[in-house]
Amino acid sequence: MEERLQKVIAKAGIASRRKAEELINSGKVKVNGKVVTEMGVKVSDNDEIVVNGQPIRQENKVYYLLNKPRRTICSVSDEKGRDTVLSCFEGVNERIYPIGRLDYDTSGLLLMTNDGEFANLMMHPRYHLPKTYHVTVSGVITDDMARILSNGIVIDDKKTLPCDVAVLERSVNKNRTVLDITIYEGRNREIRKMMEYFHTEVTRLERIGYGFLDLGHLRQGEYRRLRMFEVKRLKEMATHERSSE
């Protein structure tokens, strides 16, 4: 059975399909000794595929839920020598990578896998899986502000999707507000930009929910394997969100 080259690379756990396409475009993929730079090429199990000089091999698919520590990079390497999320996974042999990103100073729920198809499904902006953040800001978010925020505000010249906002703590004397925000899109630094819109500054940010998943009792730096029914349910949620648009 033949499949598209980028799909095979993703299945092998090298990268997401989108990243696989970038690797192909940049001439870093060979099929049977020849460089392939165009999309749509199909390959079979009998073809030899080399990515960045290394033959690919099929790995068992693995899925992890990590409580990402603050001051770690959501990457498999860092040119500045900073700790990456992979430092939490000593002893894991598969070539896993993060699904999406959390900022350097943001902690919380992060999914890790070597399944490129699954990663692409989770990251695609059309699928709108809910993500919940526990947010502490320097400043006061009033009920009117929270209502405006929940209806959507314009950041980077584009209105955000409606979100769920729950103010948990508000102190005028301490000039502090604590709230939970559930968003349904994955724009870059979205929560921080939302707070900047109201001239407040995020002092602590933690992702506490992803789809139906939460952190449970995991401490920062700890992880657990996702159960297969959890993986299946996440796929079903993404598929449902896509078909309902």
Side-chain angles (χ1 to χ4, degrees):
M1 177 179 177
E2 292 189 332
E3 290 186 297
R4 290 183 183 275
L5 178 58
Q6 59 265 42
K7 186 175 182 179
V8 172
I9 294 173
K11 280 187 173 182
I14 304 298
S16 67
R17 190 186 297 189
R18 188 177 303 173
K19 181 63 177 179
E21 291 174 351
E22 294 176 6
L23 290 169
I24 294 170
N25 279 327
S26 59
K28 296 181 179 179
V29 178
K30 291 183 178 180
V31 177
N32 299 325
K34 296 182 178 180
V35 175
V36 175
T37 58
E38 58 188 53
M39 297 299 118
V41 172
K42 292 186 176 182
V43 294
S44 69
D45 292 338
N46 296 323
D47 290 312
E48 181 188 54
I49 303 167
V50 176
V51 179
N52 283 327
Q54 296 294 323
I56 70 170
R57 57 184 178 85
Q58 295 291 336
E59 292 183 320
N60 291 327
K61 299 297 184 290
V62 291
Y63 311 86
Y64 294 99
L65 187 161
L66 168 70
N67 186 346
K68 174 193 172 293
R70 295 180 67 239
R71 301 187 180 281
T72 54
I73 300 294
C74 275
S75 178
V76 297
S77 62
D78 181 60
E79 60 184 15
K80 297 181 180 179
R82 294 171 294 183
D83 286 337
T84 74
V85 289
L86 286 187
S87 64
C88 300
F89 289 88
E90 293 184 7
V92 173
N93 296 321
E94 292 85 4
R95 294 173 293 179
I96 59 175
Y97 49 86
I99 297 177
R101 293 182 180 274
L102 291 176
D103 292 341
Y104 182 64
D105 284 320
T106 300
S107 63
L109 200 160
L110 181 70
L111 299 183
M112 305 278 295
T113 190
N114 62 349
D115 184 343
E117 289 295 295
F118 177 76
N120 186 63
L121 190 65
M122 294 300 103
M123 288 189 295
H124 199 292
R126 290 174 52 195
Y127 301 149
H128 307 321
L129 288 178
K131 302 174 184 67
T132 301
Y133 294 81
H134 188 66
V135 191
T136 302
V137 300
S138 176
V140 176
I141 300 294
T142 66
D143 289 340
D144 284 341
M145 290 177 181
R147 186 162 47 252
I148 292 170
L149 183 63
S150 66
N151 290 328
I153 59 174
V154 176
I155 56 176
D156 296 334
D157 300 321
K158 183 179 179 182
K159 190 173 183 179
T160 60
L161 293 177
C163 62
D164 302 323
V165 181
V167 177
L168 306 179
E169 178 186 336
R170 182 189 295 128
S171 174
V172 176
N173 292 334
K174 295 180 180 180
N175 192 39
R176 185 180 72 172
T177 308
V178 181
L179 58 165
D180 283 350
I181 302 176
T182 300
I183 60 175
Y184 298 86
E185 54 187 338
R187 295 164 63 177
N188 184 41
R189 296 176 61 85
E190 184 170 0
I191 296 293
R192 295 183 187 275
K193 290 177 180 179
M194 285 175 165
M195 297 299 98
E196 290 172 0
Y197 180 90
F198 296 108
H199 306 289
T200 61
E201 181 182 0
V202 172
T203 57
R204 191 171 184 85
L205 182 59
E206 179 185 24
R207 184 155 71 187
I208 59 174
Y210 190 109
F212 64 93
L213 297 170
D214 59 40
L215 289 169
H217 298 293
L218 292 178
R219 298 179 180 179
Q220 287 191 22
E222 294 181 339
Y223 66 89
R224 69 171 178 86
R225 289 188 74 151
L226 287 182
R227 302 170 181 88
M228 290 314 298
F229 82 85
E230 293 174 320
V231 175
K232 181 180 178 182
R233 186 173 173 189
L234 286 171
K235 290 180 179 179
E236 289 173 346
M237 287 181 68
T239 303
H240 171 74
E241 292 294 339
R242 182 182 185 184
S243 61
S244 65
E245 289 189 354

